[in-house]
Amino acid sequence: QVQLQESGPGLVKPSQTLSLSCTVSGGSITTNYSTWSWIRQPPGKGLEWMGFIGYDGSTYYSPSLSSRTSISRDTSKNLFSLQLTSVTPEDTAVYYCATQTEYDGEYLTLRMNYWGKGTLVTASS
């Protein structure tokens, strides 16, 4: 049973950087073929995939956010992190970390099988 827990400040000022971490237990972020994603949901809107870091450290980002998004990892602590720069009020959302722990043959599609509970981050002055 994989568990994920988001952590970080719940408030960030516009123009600053949003930083979150996702601590993983019950599984390793280096498990072969696993991917570790950040997804967000603004109030009243749908889920938006932001990007992922793979088991080998490779990263991929949503084109709409790639210029501002960075995902990294600390394998010694079994966690991965999100940084979103130049934050605006439109970045206010519940931020989730999630994982696809096994490759299912659909190499162009992510199917998350474990999610964190999410954490609300408000971008406001």
Side-chain angles (χ1 to χ4, degrees):
Q1 181 69 38
V2 175
Q3 293 183 320
L4 302 94
Q5 177 66 63
E6 303 90 349
S7 63
L11 181 66
V12 63
K13 291 180 168 58
S15 83
Q16 299 301 115
T17 297
L18 181 157
S19 297
L20 295 171
S21 293
C22 181
T23 300
V24 178
S25 61
S28 173
I29 63 173
T30 61
T31 296
N32 283 352
Y33 313 121
S34 63
T35 58
W36 305 86
S37 290
W38 287 99
I39 304 97
R40 68 179 184 178
Q41 185 171 35
K45 299 182 180 179
L47 296 167
E48 179 185 26
W49 178 78
M50 302 181 71
F52 76 73
I53 188 163
Y55 70 98
D56 59 353
S58 60
T59 54
Y60 300 87
Y61 303 109
S62 170
S64 64
L65 294 169
S66 62
S67 66
R68 298 194 293 132
T69 305
S70 179
I71 299 173
S72 58
R73 67 179 184 169
D74 185 340
T75 58
S76 70
K77 298 179 179 179
N78 204 37
L79 63 82
F80 63 106
S81 301
L82 170 72
Q83 290 196 327
L84 182 69
T85 63
S86 302
V87 163
T88 74
E90 287 67 47
D91 293 312
T92 295
V94 176
Y95 285 76
Y96 299 92
C97 54
T99 181
Q100 179 176 351
T101 55
E102 298 181 353
Y103 177 57
D104 62 0
E106 298 287 342
Y107 67 98
L108 297 178
T109 304
L110 294 173
R111 302 182 185 182
M112 312 300 181
N113 51 332
Y114 296 99
W115 292 70
K117 67 180 181 180
T119 185
L120 175 65
V121 180
T122 300
S124 175
S125 59

